[in-house]
């Protein structure tokens, strides 16, 4: 309970209490926070105190307000660096952030690539590629629909190795000895379709990030095409001229129009 006799302002005490509750998973990432009256009743403070504490937590990038929906706990790692290491996949990226990622295979087949993809992969349109569509979870919450195209002739037998909770880039490195060093990325925004809505829990027409990526090995040979779909809501992609700092703690995350 908050201490009304303390020299620390009540709104600061409330901020600390809410952060501690989030650490204890009382309020989980992506979940809707109680309303201002409910928080006021629980912590025995006024709505003005609640409003100030919540506003500052929003400014700090811990909570986010969604008009007409309420206030939500911002996913800790709902950001990706567009300039991060080419050879790091979702599993490893999240492990570095202290979070757990897993993959669920939605579709897997051997197909002929469309001409544009064949050109991007430096293969013939008559060559076989493995088409792999996965639903990626972070801390058991659906985060991304990831679709990959892998040339069969570059990765013999990979179709049978793509099972269960597979970490694709780790598999490519460890089983095929390929060092992924460079990438080409294109980021665009599209509206959520029925599939995206069903898998990611968003509404039809919601804004979605659509990230197209070609990954190259140390000899500059394209190894993989991936298309990653993520909810635009509460998601940040970060660009930096320096790749040394992976701590995304700048004011840009709380910037508002």
């Amino acid at each position: 309970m908050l201490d009304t006799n303390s020299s620390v302002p009540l709104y600061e005490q409330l901020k600390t209490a809410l952060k501690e509750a989030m650490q204890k998973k009382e309020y989980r990432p992506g979940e809707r926070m109680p309303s201002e009256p409910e928080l006021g009743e629980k912590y025995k403070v006024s709505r003005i105190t609640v409003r100030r504490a919540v506003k500052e937590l929003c400014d700090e990038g811990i909570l986010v307000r969604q008009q007409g929906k309420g206030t939500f706990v911002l996913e800790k790692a709902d950001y990706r660096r567009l300039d991060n290491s080419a050879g790091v996949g979702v599993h490893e990226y999240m492990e570095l952030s202290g979070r757990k990622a897993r993959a669920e295979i939605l579709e897997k087949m051997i197909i002929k690539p469309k001409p544009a993809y064949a050109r991007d992969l430096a293969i013939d349109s008559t060559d076989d590629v493995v088409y792999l569509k996965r639903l990626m979870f972070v801390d058991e919450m659906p985060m991304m629909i990831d679709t990959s195209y892998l040339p069969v002739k570059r990765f013999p037998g990979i179709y049978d190795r793509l099972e269960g909770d597979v970490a694709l880039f780790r598999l490519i490195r460890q089983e095929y000895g390929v060092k992924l060093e460079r990438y080409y990325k294109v980021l665009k925004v599209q509206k959520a379709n029925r599939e995206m809505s069903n898998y990611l829990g968003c509404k039809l027409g919601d804004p979605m990030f659509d990230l197209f990526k070609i990954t190259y090995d140390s000899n500059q040979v394209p190894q993989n095409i991936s298309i990653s779909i993520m909810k635009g809501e509460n998601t940040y992609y970060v660009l930096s001229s320096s790749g040394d700092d992976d701590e995304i703690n700048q004011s840009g995350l709380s910037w508002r129009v």
Side-chain angles (χ1 to χ4, degrees), residues 4 27 29 54 57 93 97 108 110 119 122 136 146 158-159 204 216 220:
T4 56
Y27 307 124
V54 169
L57 289 173
Y93 190 89
S97 303
K108 184 180 74 166
I110 294 178
R119 182 175 63 251
M136 310 300 298
D146 186 76
I158 196 169
Y159 181 88
L204 286 173
Y216 300 81
Q220 306 307 309

Side-chain angles (χ1 to χ4, degrees), residues 6-22:
S6 172
S7 61
V8 179
L10 283 175
Y11 77 89
E12 288 287 358
Q13 293 185 52
L14 180 56
K15 283 174 59 180
T16 299
L18 292 175
K19 288 178 181 179
E20 290 175 351
M22 292 175 211

Side-chain angles (χ1 to χ4, degrees), residues 106 133 135 142-147 188-211 227-232:
L106 302 177
K133 179 181 285 188
L135 180 60
M143 170 190 168
M144 174 195 300
I145 300 171
D146 186 76
T147 304
K188 66 179 182 180
V189 177
Q190 63 166 296
K191 293 182 179 180
N193 58 26
R194 182 71 62 184
E195 179 187 56
M196 298 171 194
S197 174
N198 290 340
Y199 284 128
L200 297 177
C202 56
K203 293 182 179 179
L204 286 173
D206 275 358
M208 311 294 288
F209 280 122
D210 182 336
L211 181 64
I227 300 169
S228 303
I229 304 294
M230 294 181 67
K231 290 188 289 186

